Amino acid sequence: MRAWKLGATAVAAVIVAEAGVWLLRPREGTVDGPPVPERAYFTEQQIDRGQDFGDGQRLLMFGTLAAEAGLLVMLASGRPAVVRRTLERAGEHPLRGGALVGAGLSLGLAVVALPFGIAGHQRAVDVGLSTQDLGSWFTDLGKSAAIGAVLTAAGAAGLVALMRRFPKRWWIPATGAVLVIEVVFTFLAPVLLAPAFNKFTPLENGKLRSDVLELGREAGVDIGQVYRVDASKRSNALNAYVDGIGSTKRVVLYDTLINSADEAKLRSVVAHELGHVHGNDVPRGLLWVALSAPLAVLFVAGAGEALARRGGAEPGTPASLPAIALMLGVTSFVIGIAGSQLSRDVEARADTFALELTNDPKALIAVQRELTTRNVADPSPPSALQFLFGSHPTAVQRIGAAKAWEEGARP
C-alpha cells in the first residue's frame, strides 16, 4: 500500500471510530454538572496522596509502553542478527513457526514490562492498596503470561494462515476473526479466564441479595447472576462491574465493597451497574468494535507489511509478525482514545441511571469520595491524560453531576 493510501486509511480509521462513538453514545439524557472544587470533598493529604501515586504509576505505564515498543521496533527491523536468523528459520514451517513467534513475542513483552510491573506493585503495597506479597503477585503474573502466550500463539498461527491464503486481502477475514474473537471472549472470559485468578460465588440469600433483586425489578432489567468476588486477597480497592453476554451476563461485586460500604452506598453502586445492564453497554462496546475494526485492520495490514519489508521480512511469513504486532499496538492505542470517550459517556449515563433509580445523590457523592480515597486515585487528573486514558469521568465530574441532581437538574 502506498504511503498516501496508508495515511488516508489511518485518517479514515480514526474518523470512523469517532463516528462510532457519536452513533453509539447513550441517547438518553445525562445529568451534567460543573466539576466541583476537589478541596471541597477531599483533604489536602488525600489529594496529594492520589496525585503522587497516580503520577508514579503513569510514569511506570509510559515506561512499559516505551520498553514494549522498543522491543517490537528492534525485532521488526531484524536486529540483532540472531533474531533475524531465528525468524527466518521459523518460516520453514509457517504455521508452527508463526505459533512459536507469537508465543515468543508475548513472553518477550512480558519480560521487558516486568521491572515496571514490580515497581508498580511495590508502590501499591507501600500505599496500602495491594494486599499481595511478591510471591503471590508473581504467581498471577505467571498465569497471565502463560495464558497470553497460548492465546497469542494460536492467533499468530491463524494470522499467518490467513496471510498465506489471502495475500492481498487477508485483512478482510482477519477483521471477521477479530469480531468473532471479541464476542467469544466476552462470553467465555467470565467463566473460563476470570476464575483462574479469583473465586466467584453467587451472592448468598440475605438482605443484600434481596435489595439487588428488588433494584433490578425497579429498573426493569434482567440482572443475570450476581456474584461476590474475593478481591480482598489482592487489593483493598473497591469496585463492581458488569461483564459477559447472554447466559454469562453477570453483575460482580468486590468483597471489599460488600464488607465496607453501608446500605445507601451499596444501592448506589448496584444501581450504577444495573444502568450498564439497562443500557446494553457490553453489546454496545462490541458493536463499536465491529464499526471500528475494518479500517483499523486494513491500516495494520498495509503498515505492518511495509514495515516488515523495510526490515527484510517477507509479508505472510512468521518473520513479519513483529512488524504486524508493532502496528497493531500503535493502532490500538490511537483507536482506543475514541473507545475511552465512549466509555466515559456510558459511565456518565450509568451514574444518571443510578440517580434516577435511587434518587440519592448524597450516596453517589459518598461512593465517589470513598472510591477515590480507598483506590488512592487522583480526583482530578490532568485533562490531557484523562482524554487519552480516562475510561470514567473524574471523581470531581461525577460529584458535580450528583450535586446538579441534588439541586434539581434532570436529564
Side-chain angles (χ1 to χ4, degrees), residues 39-110:
R39 284 169 178 77
Y41 291 89
F42 302 96
T43 67
E44 200 73 37
Q45 181 183 15
Q46 290 168 341
I47 294 169
D48 290 343
R49 184 168 177 258
Q51 290 176 345
D52 290 344
F53 182 69
D55 289 345
Q57 297 302 88
R58 282 189 287 266
L59 284 174
L60 292 172
M61 176 191 68
F62 288 132
T64 301
L65 292 175
E68 291 175 340
L71 175 64
L72 290 176
V73 167
M74 181 184 71
L75 296 178
S77 64
R79 296 192 302 266
V82 64
V83 170
R84 181 191 294 274
R85 290 194 295 270
T86 301
L87 291 173
E88 289 173 350
R89 283 199 298 270
E92 296 172 3
H93 303 281
L95 298 188
R96 185 173 67 191
L100 290 174
V101 171
L105 286 173
S106 179
L107 294 174
L109 292 172

Side-chain angles (χ1 to χ4, degrees), residues 163-411:
M163 290 191 293
R164 290 169 62 81
R165 177 66 180 83
F166 308 100
K168 300 295 184 182
R169 297 286 184 269
W170 63 264
W171 66 273
I172 299 175
T175 299
V178 167
L179 302 182
V180 170
I181 290 170
E182 188 78 13
V183 172
V184 170
F185 268 70
T186 302
F187 180 79
L188 292 179
V191 294
L192 289 184
L193 296 182
F197 298 90
N198 287 95
K199 182 179 180 181
F200 294 79
T201 54
L203 201 60
E204 61 272 12
N205 290 329
K207 181 171 174 50
L208 177 57
R209 180 177 175 81
S210 298
D211 287 347
V212 170
L213 295 178
E214 178 61 28
L215 275 174
R217 284 190 290 269
E218 292 176 18
V221 301
D222 175 18
I223 296 176
Q225 191 52 275
V226 184
Y227 285 89
R228 170 201 292 261
V229 60
D230 60 340
S232 58
K233 73 178 186 179
R234 289 183 176 82
S235 175
N236 286 314
L238 306 180
N239 199 11
Y241 62 90
V242 169
D243 66 353
I245 53 175
S247 61
T248 66
K249 180 174 65 177
R250 58 186 58 193
V251 175
V252 179
L253 306 176
Y254 276 28
D255 59 350
T256 51
L257 178 70
I258 294 172
N259 295 336
S260 66
D262 60 29
E263 182 177 343
K265 293 177 186 175
L266 276 170
R267 281 178 59 84
S268 183
V269 171
V270 171
H272 173 96
E273 299 307 325
L274 293 181
H276 288 308
V277 180
H278 179 269
N280 293 310
D281 290 334
V282 172
R284 187 195 306 270
L286 293 174
L287 183 54
W288 179 80
V289 171
L291 291 173
S292 305
L295 284 175
V297 176
L298 174 59
F299 174 76
V300 169
E305 289 181 347
L307 185 61
R309 288 191 182 95
R310 289 189 62 179
E314 185 67 27
T317 66
S320 69
L321 290 175
I324 299 291
L326 176 60
M327 298 317 302
L328 179 61
V330 171
T331 305
S332 298
F333 176 82
V334 174
I335 297 297
I337 296 172
S340 294
Q341 295 173 25
L342 179 61
S343 178
R344 291 193 294 272
D345 288 344
V346 163
E347 294 295 339
R349 176 59 189 126
D351 278 348
T352 299
F353 186 88
L355 290 168
E356 292 172 332
L357 190 58
T358 65
N359 194 28
D360 192 352
K362 286 185 171 59
L364 180 55
I365 292 170
V367 165
Q368 292 308 313
R369 294 178 70 181
E370 187 162 359
L371 285 174
T372 301
T373 54
R374 281 284 295 268
N375 297 357
V376 198
D378 186 347
S380 182
S383 56
L385 295 176
Q386 174 69 4
F387 174 77
L388 291 173
F389 303 108
S391 60
H392 291 61
T394 66
V396 295
Q397 289 171 333
R398 300 176 80 173
I399 293 174
K403 286 294 294 181
W405 180 280
E406 191 173 44
E407 294 166 3
R410 294 296 181 269

